Structures are given as structure tokens and as C-alpha cells.
Amino acid sequence: MSHKKTQWLAMGPVNVYFGFCGSEKAYRKSIKKMAVENPPEFIPCGAGAALHTLSDGGAPTLLMCLDVESVKKQYNRIQIDALIAHESAHVAQRCVDEMVAHDEKELFAYIVQHSFGFVANLVWCDK
């Protein structure tokens, strides 16, 4: 699978946009399309991945950034999955902040499962 394009996931009942940028090229294209001024660095120095929250006053856009080709050369699958899970937890935290929930623990678990499954599939799918 090419990681040169941002992949988007509908977050179900949560009012956020979620995208996965598997390369800096995908990130730059998305930032340009969204007309973000002064965007954050793709992945900060020393980090394996990053989650950026962008908002223009409407529903926030969450961009999970992971340089797939680079991390596959540096880390094994368990380590990469751990990075994805870590960033997915941040996705869940941002979503919980955006949504009033009666059962926040279940909402959190649903969001982690949803975002982790989506990104892990993109990273490990060879199509």
C-alpha cells in the first residue's frame, strides 16, 4: 500500500475528522489542502510518531503521523504496533474531550479499538 496519501476514517458517533499520514508527503498534502498556517512538524525529533490536532473552530481534525517506510526499517512489528496503540490512545483522549458520554470508559475503549485497527490495517496491508 502506498503511504503517500492521507487515509481518512469516519469516527462513528464522535464529531472529529481522523486521518493517518503514513509519510511526510501525505502530511504536507493534507496540510496544504486544509490551508493550515504554521503547521506543526510532521514528527518531532526523537519521536516515532505524532498526533496533531488541528481546528478552525469547527470539528477538530486529528492527524496521526508515522513514517511507515522509516519505522519498518528501524523497528519490529510489536514496536510499531505499540507506537500505533500509543497514538490511538491520544486519539481516544481527544475524542472523549469532544463528546459528552454516559460511559466514558466504553467510549475510550471503542475509540482506541477503532483507530488502532484502522491504522494497523493500513500499515500491514500489502495491497
Side-chain angles (χ1 to χ4, degrees), residues 7-63:
Q7 301 294 316
W8 295 95
L9 173 67
M11 291 301 289
V14 184
N15 189 28
V16 301
Y17 300 101
F18 174 65
F20 172 67
C21 301
S23 68
E24 188 166 3
K25 183 176 182 177
Y27 176 69
R28 295 281 168 225
K29 283 182 181 178
S30 292
I31 290 297
K32 183 176 180 180
K33 185 174 183 179
M34 292 185 290
V36 175
E37 294 180 23
N38 303 313
E41 189 177 354
F42 172 57
I43 299 173
C45 184
L51 181 73
H52 301 299
T53 304
L54 309 168
S55 180
D56 62 0
T61 298
L62 308 177
L63 289 178

Side-chain angles (χ1 to χ4, degrees), residues 1 9-10 12 14 17 19 35 38 49 61 64 71-72 76 86 88 95 105 107 112 122 126:
M1 163 171 282
L9 173 67
V14 184
Y17 300 101
N38 303 313
T61 298
M64 184 187 295
V71 297
K72 281 185 173 181
N76 65 39
H86 178 94
S88 293
C95 290
K105 288 181 182 177
L107 173 64
V112 169
L122 291 172
D126 290 331

